Amino acid sequence: MLFENKYIQQRIEKAKNLRELGVNPYANESKRNTTITKYLNVNSDVFQKEDKRDEKRHYIVAGRIKFFRLMGKASFLKIEDESGILQIYVSRDNLPEGFYNNIFKKNIEVGDIIEVGGYPFVTGKGELSLHVDDVQILTKSISPLPEKYHGIQDKELRYRQRYLDLIMNSEVRKTFHIRSKVVSLTRRFFESKGFLEVETPMMHPIAGGANAKPFTTHHNALGVDRFLRIAPELYLKRLIVGGFEAVFEINRNFRNEGMDATHNPEFTSIEFYWAYKTYKDLIAITKEYFEYLFEHLDLPTVLPYGDNEIDFNQFSEIPLIQSLYEIGEVPQEIVEDREKIIAFMKKENLEVNENMNLGQLQGELFDEYVEEKLINPTFITEYPVEISPLARRNDEKLHLTDRFELFIAGKEIANAFSELNDPIDQLERFESQMAAKDGGDDEAHEMDEDFVNALSYGMAPTAGQGIGIDRLVMMLTNQHTIRDVLLFPAMKPIKHEIDLHADEEN
């Protein structure tokens, strides 16, 4: 049960004491007139004053108590707001009679949120602080914070109680500030290029736009099942058919698949579609996009990532099949022969599905031998048709498509291609995907007759791309699991949640 812990009970008692003393432990009004960082910046000149103080200035700041040192008639505290940490000095003689001994000392502690007013001064140890003449309690914290120096050691707890993780770890807050900026800058960049931001459905009658297993829900009013979107692609391309020439959507997608360091059941990406352009134009705009991000994020273009460094000045490009032998060191003579690939994989003790076609096997070789070696940004181009059901065939190499994926630090960050706009070719590929589904591939693409019908009215030559925002933020912040860049990642239920669900079913 909640709040049975004896330390929590002690804090609840203190909240009760405050009420009895006429102090609301959950006040609703604040007179804060500056943030901590602004306070520190504005008053940096106090260091130059002869007595290192300025009693003519008065500021009101607020924040959570992170440190509390009681010294009889006075106390030093450190409070934190979103912008930073400030040391404050609270003296009995500067507060109303009885407040320090009866209210402050007995009922205020680490974790509480307070508002303090006072003037700037520099301590004997050289720290710009606030000399307090007024204290207001804004929020009493009844759950004690983790011990400062050890913080939260349990990562599972950090993810489940992200609010506590954010309270204790300023670096975690910094990561999510960067994430927010990336989303904002992404929107600004594409708008500056003339793209129109649009919104497409989150619930689809057909799970389309990618090869993935969907989440299923039921629409009561219509009496039909719907699928949470796995990608917005087919709806965005319908808009190109309709006459929009450049559209984008920053979207949440849902895939009912496994969870690992780079996969969460729901994730964020941007997809954009650009009429009268090819995948080569997308390579150029992607480079521009990264330049724009680094210009506005105030990050160096060479960033650490684990034991590696990512040089965002070094973009390269190589066809997939060529990468197998030049980067993956797979024997060149086998990479375009299905039977030889199967024999090679068996020799290497790799699991191999002998029902796979040549393109699928080439994709397996890439995943095994190439992907993790792509540290600096690398565009892998010319994907086989068999693993690119929505991409346009290359005019000269009909077994390949005009497609690329961008890899950074061994992870796929973006997928793009010149779009297939031949309705007959698209119909045949859907039919091929349906055959694969009948053969047991539950991630094969569904047939979407309405989309084929839309193409039959004519879609201008178009290029489209998706960029994974979550993975991109991982690269920029040196995080190695997607859960560290999601505020509330998917988690396995804990035991009492399972028991509660079972009770509801019974």
Side-chain angles (χ1 to χ4, degrees), residues 22-77:
V23 177
N24 184 355
Y26 300 100
N28 192 44
E29 292 186 6
S30 171
K31 296 182 176 61
R32 182 176 77 161
N33 59 18
T34 189
T35 66
I36 286 173
T37 292
K38 287 180 180 178
Y39 171 86
L40 294 172
N41 291 338
V42 167
N43 294 295
S44 60
D45 63 323
V46 175
F47 284 98
Q48 311 307 320
K49 293 183 178 292
E50 185 176 350
D51 57 357
K52 296 190 185 306
R53 64 181 56 218
D54 190 336
E55 297 184 20
K56 294 180 180 180
R57 303 180 190 180
H58 192 272
Y59 299 90
I60 302 174
V61 297
R64 187 184 299 275
I65 300 173
K66 299 299 287 288
F67 172 80
F68 197 140
R69 182 156 59 96
L70 191 62
M71 302 185 304
K73 297 179 182 180
S75 300
F76 276 101
L77 295 81

Side-chain angles (χ1 to χ4, degrees), residues 342-373:
I342 292 173
F344 173 78
M345 293 180 72
K346 287 181 177 180
K347 181 181 177 183
E348 294 291 308
N349 295 316
L350 298 175
E351 185 177 338
V352 56
N353 181 351
E354 296 189 39
N355 293 321
M356 284 185 171
N357 54 46
L358 176 60
Q360 291 171 323
L361 290 168
Q362 290 168 334
E364 293 289 305
L365 288 178
F366 177 84
D367 293 346
E368 183 68 31
Y369 291 99
V370 180
E371 185 170 342
E372 66 179 14
K373 298 179 180 179

Side-chain angles (χ1 to χ4, degrees), residues 493 495-506:
K495 186 178 186 303
H496 79 262
E497 291 175 339
I498 297 172
D499 293 343
L500 177 62
H501 184 64
D503 291 341
E504 290 173 348
E505 289 182 344
N506 293 332

Side-chain angles (χ1 to χ4, degrees), residues 103-208:
I103 296 177
F104 185 80
K105 284 174 61 176
K106 293 181 178 179
N107 299 294
I108 305 302
E109 53 205 323
V110 169
D112 294 347
I113 298 172
I114 62 173
E115 178 179 276
V116 291
Y119 61 84
F121 80 109
V122 179
T123 65
K125 293 184 177 181
E127 183 172 354
L128 179 58
S129 305
L130 182 76
H131 196 293
V132 172
D133 56 29
D134 181 63
V135 177
Q136 300 294 326
I137 301 156
L138 297 181
T139 305
K140 180 66 186 170
S141 169
I142 63 171
S143 288
L145 297 181
E147 198 272 330
K148 175 185 174 184
Y149 294 102
H150 295 95
I152 309 174
Q153 299 298 310
D154 185 345
K155 276 211 164 190
E156 291 283 315
L157 180 62
R158 287 180 54 201
Y159 301 141
R160 291 184 190 280
Q161 298 184 13
R162 181 65 84 186
Y163 44 87
L164 189 56
D165 188 28
L166 294 168
I167 289 171
M168 298 304 298
N169 299 310
S170 61
E171 286 301 309
V172 173
R173 294 200 300 273
K174 181 179 178 181
T175 293
F176 288 104
H177 272 286
I178 291 175
R179 181 191 174 100
S180 180
K181 288 180 182 178
V182 168
V183 173
S184 178
L185 290 170
T186 298
R187 176 174 284 110
R188 282 162 48 188
F189 174 78
F190 284 98
E191 286 179 339
S192 74
K193 292 294 182 180
F195 284 76
L196 178 71
E197 183 173 13
V198 297
E199 296 173 295
T200 63
M202 298 279 280
M203 292 191 296
H204 293 184
I206 295 170

Side-chain angles (χ1 to χ4, degrees), residues 207-211 230-235 237-238 255 271 273 384-393 401-403 415-422 425-427 429-430 433 445-448 451-452 455 459 462-464:
N211 289 357
I230 57 176
E233 177 171 342
L234 301 186
Y235 282 94
K237 287 196 283 194
R238 284 173 169 91
R255 299 184 182 179
E271 287 201 19
Y273 293 82
V385 169
E386 296 93 335
I387 55 175
S388 309
L390 298 169
R392 183 182 183 277
R393 290 178 189 268
T401 59
D402 291 337
R403 174 188 176 191
N415 183 25
F417 37 82
S418 297
E419 300 294 338
L420 177 61
N421 61 352
D422 179 341
D425 192 352
Q426 181 64 82
L427 177 61
R429 294 203 210 178
F430 276 154
Q433 287 286 301
H445 203 292
E446 294 279 358
M447 170 67 72
D448 191 334
F451 176 67
V452 176
L455 289 184
M459 184 175 77
T462 298

Side-chain angles (χ1 to χ4, degrees), residues 34 51 84 86 89 117 122 158 188 236 238 248 253 262 286 290-291 329 341 372 379 423 429 438 449 458 461 476 488:
T34 189
D51 57 357
L86 174 67
Y89 173 72
V122 179
R158 287 180 54 201
R188 282 162 48 188
L236 292 172
R238 284 173 169 91
F248 78 93
N253 298 313
T262 58
T286 301
F290 274 90
E291 290 174 4
E329 299 180 346
I341 291 176
E372 66 179 14
F379 295 100
R429 294 203 210 178
D438 292 340
E449 292 184 358
L476 298 177
F488 301 102

